[in-house]
Amino acid sequence: MTSTVPASLARAAGGSALQAVFLDMDGTLVDTEGFWWDAEREVFADLGHELDEAWRDVVVGGPMTRSAGYLIQATGADITLAELTVLLNERFEARITRGVPLMPGAERLLTELAAHSVPTALVSASHRRIIDRVLASLGRDRFALSVAGDEVPRTKPHPDPYLHAARGLGADPTRCAVIEDTSTGVASAEAAGCRVVAVPSVTPIAPADGRIVVGSLEEVDLSFLRTLITRMN
């Protein structure tokens, strides 16, 4: 976890009940969920295995250990989890060096949050080396803190990543808004006590108490996020 802002800054979110905004990366801010699936398909093709399209719904949004482990078991590929993790990260990293497309509405939302000095954190199940590559495109200065999947004892769907982010910004998790695109990420944020905006990218996510589902980030702005917190408290 890396942080560049003192904890006191977490209370400068425009004087509202909202203390911080946490955003997932793949499929939420950047249109890379397809990149991961393509990387997985290519690596397994090199190993002599074809991935079933139905498996995509199983591995999306999960930590590398879970998704890679599942694919090894499903295919019977003769490779260790550690070896496969290296290959997948290398293949994905090669893809994002050619450019990282933003999701619709991402640029506007990040610009608005920065303009109003809302403490913002990037919280991802991806490894630090991948996050740092993407941050180079997104702009590091837009985030007070970032949390990688290989920097916490348990990553998504456990609450640890979002609890780490809240502690890093000195914020109360129940007064933090989280934007996620998968059920795994939503489960992590809700387990941490955060308010969640789900923007499904690959698989559907149902509305629930404390959670709002929208079609894209174009429906989300600072006023929307502030309202999400105030009406839940």
Side-chain angles (χ1 to χ4, degrees), residues 31-54:
D31 192 7
T32 50
E33 289 291 9
F35 285 17
W36 278 114
W37 181 243
D38 289 343
E40 289 160 348
R41 289 175 58 191
E42 291 170 6
V43 168
F44 275 91
D46 292 344
L47 296 171
H49 298 274
E50 181 178 352
L51 299 187
D52 189 317
E53 190 69 24

Side-chain angles (χ1 to χ4, degrees), residues 28-206:
T28 299
L29 286 178
V30 290
D31 192 7
T32 50
E33 289 291 9
F35 285 17
W36 278 114
W37 181 243
D38 289 343
E40 289 160 348
R41 289 175 58 191
E42 291 170 6
V43 168
F44 275 91
D46 292 344
L47 296 171
H49 298 274
E50 181 178 352
L51 299 187
D52 189 317
E53 190 69 24
W55 297 342
R56 184 177 182 180
D57 290 349
V58 179
V59 301
V60 66
M64 180 73 74
T65 51
R66 192 199 75 186
S67 57
Y70 174 85
L71 293 175
I72 290 174
Q73 183 177 25
T75 61
D78 184 18
I79 188 171
T80 67
L81 181 59
E83 291 169 337
L84 180 57
T85 296
V86 170
L87 293 177
L88 290 174
N89 273 326
E90 288 178 347
R91 192 66 59 97
F92 182 80
E93 196 168 355
R95 282 182 167 272
I96 63 177
T97 56
R98 300 195 290 267
V100 182
L102 295 183
M103 297 296 286
E107 176 70 27
R108 175 199 50 76
L109 178 60
L110 290 174
T111 299
E112 182 182 16
L113 293 174
H116 289 82
S117 300
V118 178
T120 305
L122 186 68
V123 182
S124 175
S126 291
H127 289 187
R128 170 55 57 187
R129 60 183 283 187
I130 299 298
I131 287 181
D132 285 344
R133 282 279 191 179
V134 175
L135 279 172
S137 295
L138 286 174
R140 293 178 184 276
D141 58 342
R142 288 172 152 173
F143 301 93
L145 175 149
S146 62
V147 180
D150 55 343
E151 295 175 338
V152 289
R154 302 178 303 171
T155 189
K156 303 173 186 180
H158 299 288
D160 304 40
Y162 286 109
L163 292 176
H164 269 66
R167 281 195 295 269
L169 293 181
D172 177 352
T174 65
R175 293 175 66 184
C176 296
V178 171
I179 305 177
E180 274 279 1
D181 73 304
T182 67
S183 57
T184 300
V186 167
S188 173
E190 291 180 344
C194 303
R195 307 307 184 191
V196 178
V197 179
V199 190
S201 63
V202 177
T203 58
I205 299 174

